[in-house]
Amino acid sequence: MKKTSKKNNNFKIPGTELNSADAERGKKESRSNFVELLPLEVTYKIFSQLDIQSLCRASRTCTGWNRAIRNNDSLWKPHCLTIRTVCQREVDDDIKSGYTWRVILLRNYQKSKVKNEWLSGRYSNIRSPVSLPEKAMCPMDADTWGEILDAELEREVEKLQ
C-alpha cells in the first residue's frame, strides 16, 4: 500500500518565495557563469587574455566576476607594466609604497594616456591653455611636466637643425 503525504503549503521560510521564472533564470545564470563552474586557475587564465577595457567591463558583469577579477592582483600586473613604459617613475614609486597592481593601474592609467600623447607631440602645436582638450587632461606632478617639456624642447631643437 502506498502512503501519500500532504504537503503543508502554509509553511514558508521568509525570503525564499521564488516563482518558476526566478528559478529558471537562476539555473540559466549559474550555467552561463563559468567563474562558478571552472577551477579558479582556468578562470584566471581566461581573464588574463582580456585587454584592460574588457577586463574592467567583465568586472562589472556580475558580483562573482567582480570578486574573481578584483581579488586576483596578477590579472592587473601586465597592464601596469604596459603603463610603466610611459610612467616608469610613477609606477615604481607606487610599487615601493606597497600599492596593489590594481590600485597602481587605477592611479596611473589616465595619466599614462595623457602623458603619452604629450610625449608623442600631439599637443606640440597648442599655443594657449584654452586650446587644450579639457576631457583629455589630468593632474600631473612637476617631474612629469619636466619630462614633457624636455620632449617638447627636443622636438623644437630637431626642427631647427
Side-chain angles (χ1 to χ4, degrees):
M1 191 163 161
K2 200 175 183 183
K3 286 187 176 181
T4 59
S5 64
K6 291 183 179 179
K7 290 184 180 178
N8 183 356
N9 290 332
N10 295 330
F11 182 80
K12 293 183 180 177
I13 299 172
T16 60
E17 299 85 14
L18 292 176
N19 62 32
S20 60
D22 290 336
E24 189 61 33
R25 186 171 40 252
K27 286 179 189 176
K28 286 180 183 176
E29 285 175 3
S30 61
R31 271 187 261 140
S32 65
N33 189 356
F34 69 89
V35 170
E36 293 174 0
L37 299 174
L38 296 174
L40 281 177
E41 298 80 22
V42 176
T43 300
Y44 293 149
K45 181 65 176 171
I46 292 168
F47 284 140
S48 73
Q49 302 302 308
L50 300 177
D51 62 53
I52 187 63
Q53 288 182 326
S54 299
L55 188 62
C56 291
R57 285 186 191 120
S59 74
R60 293 190 310 253
T61 300
C62 67
T63 306
W65 288 27
N66 181 280
R67 195 175 312 111
I69 292 169
R70 181 179 276 260
N71 293 337
N72 186 345
D73 209 39
S74 65
L75 291 173
W76 303 98
K77 183 177 180 178
H79 303 294
C80 286
L81 295 178
T82 301
I83 286 174
R84 189 177 178 271
T85 60
V86 177
C87 294
Q88 182 175 352
R89 182 182 38 78
E90 295 91 337
V91 170
D92 289 348
D93 288 347
D94 285 352
I95 291 169
K96 288 176 190 169
S97 297
Y99 289 109
T100 64
W101 289 113
R102 183 180 157 276
V103 171
I104 291 170
L105 184 75
L106 292 171
R107 289 173 49 92
N108 294 291
Y109 180 73
Q110 185 64 30
K111 183 188 288 186
S112 72
K113 289 175 62 176
V114 172
K115 186 175 175 181
N116 188 48
E117 289 178 348
W118 275 100
L119 292 173
S120 67
R122 178 169 182 197
Y123 302 120
S124 293
N125 297 325
I126 292 180
R127 300 292 178 227
S128 163
V130 176
S131 304
L132 288 171
E134 193 174 312
K135 291 181 182 177
M137 295 298 113
C138 70
M140 291 188 268
D141 57 22
D143 291 332
T144 301
W145 282 114
E147 292 174 46
I148 291 168
L149 291 174
D150 285 344
E152 287 294 323
L153 287 172
E154 284 178 28
R155 269 192 286 283
E156 289 299 318
V157 168
E158 287 174 11
K159 286 180 187 175
L160 296 173
Q161 293 176 351

